[in-house]
Amino acid sequence: MTRRRTRFGVLGAAALLLGAGLTASPMMTTPAHAAYGPCNTTVQRTDGVAVNNYYVVPARTGNGLSCYMQWQTGSSNAVTALQRAILRCYGSTPAAERIRDSGGADGVYGTGTVEAVRWLQANRLGVSADGVYGPATRAAMWWPDYWRDPSDGSVEFIDCYNPPF
C-alpha cells in the first residue's frame, strides 16, 4: 500500500508540474522586447566626446532608446536609420548585401532587414540571433558618426563607432 501511495504521489506531483508548465501566464509568454514598445522615431545622440558630432539612432517617443523592431514593425524613419547604419558600418558583410538586395534603405522592416539583423547578431554582435532589433542589438552595434559644420550646416560622415549611449 505504501508503494502505491508513493507512486500516486509521484505521478500527482509530475502531473501538477506538467500542468503548470503548459498553462503559462501571459507574462511568461510575452517576448521581453514587447515591454519597450516599437521604435517610432529617431534621435540624434552624441557620445559626449566630440563637439558637433552625432549618431542617428532608432528610438521610442517617451522611452528613449529602449525600443524594438521586427518583421513589419517600426516607423519608416527608425527602420531607415537602422538600415543605413548596416549599410555604412557593415558594408562588406552579407548583412549589408541583404539590405541592398531587398531594396536598400527603404524604411521597411521586411525579410531582408530581418535576415540582415539576424546575420549581424550571429556573426558580429554576439547577441541572440532572432532578427529582432532591441536594446541588446543597439548596444552592440556600430553606428555612423556624423559631423555637422557649424558655419554652414553641412554634414559629413566621419567613421563608425560603438558609442556609450
Side-chain angles (χ1 to χ4, degrees):
M1 189 67 129
T2 304
R3 205 167 180 201
R4 186 179 294 171
R5 280 188 195 169
T6 303
R7 188 179 310 154
F8 283 129
V10 170
L11 289 174
L16 182 63
L17 290 173
L18 181 62
L22 292 177
T23 59
S25 71
M27 183 175 278
M28 293 174 63
T29 58
T30 302
H33 64 266
Y36 303 115
C39 303
N40 62 0
T41 189
T42 58
V43 294
Q44 291 183 2
R45 288 289 172 105
T46 66
D47 58 12
V49 176
V51 178
N52 298 320
N53 285 39
Y54 66 92
Y55 303 86
V56 178
V57 185
R60 177 153 179 86
T61 305
N63 206 27
L65 300 178
S66 293
C67 62
Y68 76 94
M69 293 185 287
Q70 61 186 8
W71 168 257
Q72 300 298 324
T73 303
S75 69
S76 178
N77 61 339
V79 175
T80 300
L82 172 64
Q83 292 168 330
R84 286 182 178 159
I86 292 170
L87 290 169
R88 178 71 80 169
C89 298
Y90 301 94
S92 62
T93 68
E97 184 179 315
R98 192 62 190 110
I99 296 285
R100 283 190 292 273
D101 290 348
S102 63
D106 60 3
V108 177
Y109 206 106
T111 304
T113 304
V114 170
E115 291 174 0
V117 170
R118 184 178 292 127
W119 188 91
L120 281 177
Q121 290 168 329
N123 296 284
R124 293 288 193 274
L125 306 180
V127 298
S128 176
D130 56 7
V132 176
Y133 170 89
T137 300
R138 177 198 36 81
M141 277 186 67
W142 287 60
W143 294 91
D145 183 17
Y146 298 98
W147 178 75
R148 184 181 313 275
D149 187 328
S151 64
D152 65 7
S154 62
V155 176
E156 179 182 336
F157 167 72
I158 303 298
D159 205 345
C160 291
Y161 300 103
N162 179 252
F165 49 70

